[in-house]
């Protein structure tokens, strides 16, 4: 572990508060468990009607691939709850063993996510008035954020402070689909509302960093900036001729596999 990693790890454990190390660790554990629960609640709220309350495996989804996509991505959220809870309970040994399973699951999510996004493109899916080829950049951009940050989180697994922040922000990169389905009128009326709600989650992490360390953790800063930049570039990139050419190639490949 590098000197910088040790410094970051120590900083995350020495947080604010008169109760010292033990209290700061409790607050740290409670915060990340709370964020995982908040993410779970957001996913349940977004997909309750079309997936969870519709019977999960019996839900009227377009095809088997989307069922697999729902199961795999739901497993990630449940694993996030499990992993943060294990750390809070002091079972870091089990947490580390499950971490290898989690990395394998993340790799599977990227593969299934690309297939599901391309299947949506094949079906001409997307918001009203948005070209499917342009919209294809949205889920693909989310997968770029997720895969990049989860890979870096795996590399930083011996630096808990950095690792947990990269996992959290990487997961936030997938929240568009859930938040965009919240049953509130503002989600449909204000196009940027989904992004702003996602950034509110990120703001909670920034506030926690400042409260616990008197500064924003480096991983929060650069990973948060990466998330915002990629999300704001998705639609502009999606409207370019180069992207449409790529999406057209993906569409042709998907149609050839499905026989038209």
């Amino acid at each position: 572990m590098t000197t910088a990693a040790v410094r970051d790890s120590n900083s995350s454990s020495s947080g604010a508060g008169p109760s010292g190390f033990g209290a700061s660790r409790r607050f740290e554990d409670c915060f990340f468990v709370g964020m995982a629960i908040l993410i779970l609640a957001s996913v349940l709220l977004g997909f309750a009607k079309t997936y969870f309350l519709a019977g999960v495996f019996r839900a009227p989804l377009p095809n088997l691939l989307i069922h697999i996509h729902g199961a795999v991505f739901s497993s990630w959220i449940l694993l996030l709850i499990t992993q943060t809870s294990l750390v809070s309970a002091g079972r870091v040994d089990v947490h580390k063993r499950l971490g290898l399973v989690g990395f394998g699951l993340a790799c599977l999510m990227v593969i299934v996510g690309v297939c599901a996004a391309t299947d949506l493109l094949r079906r001409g899916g997307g918001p009203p008035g948005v070209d499917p080829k342009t919209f294809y950049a949205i889920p693909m951009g989310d997968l770029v954020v997720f895969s990049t940050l989860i890979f870096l989180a795996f590399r930083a697994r011996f630096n808990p402070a950095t690792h947990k922040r990269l996992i959290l922000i990487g997961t936030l990169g997938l929240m568009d689909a859930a938040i965009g389905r919240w049953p509130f009128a503002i989600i449909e009326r204000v196009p940027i509302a989904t992004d702003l709600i996602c950034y509110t989650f990120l703001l909670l992490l920034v506030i926690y960093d400042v409260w616990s360390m008197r500064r924003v953790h480096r991983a929060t800063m650069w990973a948060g900036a990466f998330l915002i930049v990629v999300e704001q570039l998705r639609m502009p990139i999606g409207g370019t001729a180069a992207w449409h050419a790529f999406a057209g190639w993906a569409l042709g490949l998907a149609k050839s596999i499905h026989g038209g």
Side-chain angles (χ1 to χ4, degrees):
M1 186 182 296
T2 65
T3 303
V6 172
R7 184 170 60 251
D8 279 341
S9 181
N10 290 340
S11 296
S12 68
S13 299
S14 62
S19 300
F21 178 82
S24 66
R25 279 296 302 273
R26 284 197 303 273
F27 283 125
E28 180 100 346
D29 294 342
C30 287
F31 173 78
F32 282 94
V33 170
M35 289 295 290
I37 292 173
L38 189 59
I39 289 173
L40 174 63
S42 299
V43 171
L44 291 175
L45 180 62
F47 291 103
K49 183 178 180 180
T50 59
Y51 187 62
F52 296 108
L53 296 182
V56 184
F57 297 111
R58 297 192 303 273
L61 301 181
N63 51 52
L64 178 61
L65 173 61
I66 306 305
H67 275 283
I68 295 173
H69 175 269
V72 170
F73 277 62
S74 297
S75 297
W76 176 262
I77 303 301
L78 294 177
L79 181 62
L80 180 66
I81 294 284
T82 301
Q83 288 290 69
T84 54
S85 299
L86 284 170
V87 172
S88 181
R91 295 308 308 268
V92 178
D93 56 332
V94 180
H95 171 91
K96 289 180 178 179
R97 289 198 291 270
L98 273 181
L100 297 176
V101 176
F103 185 71
L105 177 61
C107 294
L108 179 61
M109 288 171 66
V110 174
I111 296 171
V112 173
V114 170
C115 293
T118 306
D119 183 72
L120 179 65
L121 173 65
R122 179 185 64 84
R123 292 183 282 111
V130 179
D131 185 279
K133 291 181 180 179
T134 300
F135 184 74
Y136 187 52
I138 299 294
M140 294 297 280
D142 290 344
L143 290 170
V144 167
V145 172
F146 177 77
S147 59
T148 300
L149 295 184
I150 297 306
F151 171 72
L152 293 175
F154 181 75
R155 292 190 60 186
R157 62 191 181 277
F158 300 114
N159 180 355
T162 297
H163 174 77
K164 64 181 67 177
R165 284 164 174 80
L166 294 181
I167 291 289
L168 178 61
I169 298 173
T171 303
L172 292 181
L174 300 177
M175 292 298 292
D176 275 5
I179 295 173
R181 289 172 171 81
W182 282 6
F184 304 125
I186 189 173
I187 299 296
E188 296 182 2
R189 294 176 183 174
V190 182
I192 200 173
T194 299
D195 288 344
L196 292 178
I197 293 171
C198 180
Y199 301 155
T200 300
F201 285 61
L202 185 60
L203 179 61
L204 291 176
L205 178 57
V206 171
I207 292 172
Y208 173 76
D209 280 354
V210 172
W211 177 83
S212 62
M213 299 187 296
R214 300 293 187 262
R215 63 182 178 85
V216 180
H217 193 281
R218 288 181 302 173
T220 302
M221 285 192 292
W222 67 258
F226 178 66
L227 169 68
I228 293 171
V229 168
V230 172
E231 288 196 342
Q232 295 310 308
L233 287 178
R234 292 174 304 178
M235 287 300 285
I237 290 175
T240 63
W243 181 263
H244 275 237
F246 169 71
W249 170 82
L251 178 59
L253 181 61
K255 286 184 175 180
S256 67
I257 292 174
H258 286 268

